[in-house]
Amino acid sequence: DEFCASALDLFRVRRAMTARKIAADSTVDAMTEPKRLNDGSEIGYGYGMTLAELGEVVGLTSGGSAHGTTVHFAFYPEPEVTVVVLVAAEQAPLMGLERDLARLVLDLPLPGVQDMALDRKEAEAYIGRYQVGCTTYICRVAPDDRLEISVADRPTYRLLFQGRRSFVAQRDADVKFQF
C-alpha cells in the first residue's frame, strides 16, 4: 500500500500516454477532453485530467493524494513542458508550486493579486454551498471577517477579494472564484 514511483516515472507515463502507447486513443481522449454537464455547460475536466491555463499557455493537469504521498503534474504541449511535483506528505498544496515552476520554465509573470477590503456584511452575502461540476465548495466568514472556502476534507483556503464579486485563493492566485 505504498506509492512507489518517482517524478521521472510519472513523466514517462505522461509521455507514453500522450504518444498513445499505453492506452487506446478513445481512452486518452476521454481522459483529456473537457466534458459537458447535464445542463449543457462545459467543465474543464476530462476523466482524470483538468484543463490548465497559465496566461496564453494551455495544458493538462492531474494529481492526488494516497498513502502519505501527494503528486501533481502538468503538461503544456505547445512548448513541450512537463512539471511533476511529488512529496511524501498527504494533501500537500502542490498545484500552486507546480504552476510557479511552470511559470519559471515558461518565463511567465506571476499573476497580480490584490487584497481589497470587504466588510462583514458584504462577506456574508457569499456564505453558502456552491456546486461546480462534481465538487461542492463551502464558503464561510472566518472570525476575522475574511472569506474562507473549503472542499470536503481538504484544507481551508483564505479568499482574497479582487473586486467585482471576484476572489482568488490566498495560497494559489490561479484558483479564482467569481460569484
Side-chain angles (χ1 to χ4, degrees), residues 112-119 122-123 126 145-148 158-170 175 177-179:
V113 174
Q114 305 177 67
D115 189 12
M116 299 172 64
L118 184 69
D119 68 39
E122 289 176 299
Y126 301 104
D145 294 339
R146 306 297 292 265
L147 276 182
E148 298 178 331
R158 172 72 47 103
L159 294 181
L160 304 177
F161 184 48
Q162 303 301 294
R164 297 190 186 125
R165 303 174 57 94
S166 180
F167 296 82
V168 298
Q170 184 176 23
V175 177
F177 296 90
Q178 183 70 44
F179 292 92

Side-chain angles (χ1 to χ4, degrees), residues 133-153:
C134 14
T135 304
T136 301
Y137 293 91
I138 301 166
C139 190
R140 62 186 157 275
V141 179
D144 64 357
D145 294 339
R146 306 297 292 265
L147 276 182
E148 298 178 331
I149 200 158
S150 63
V151 177
D153 61 346

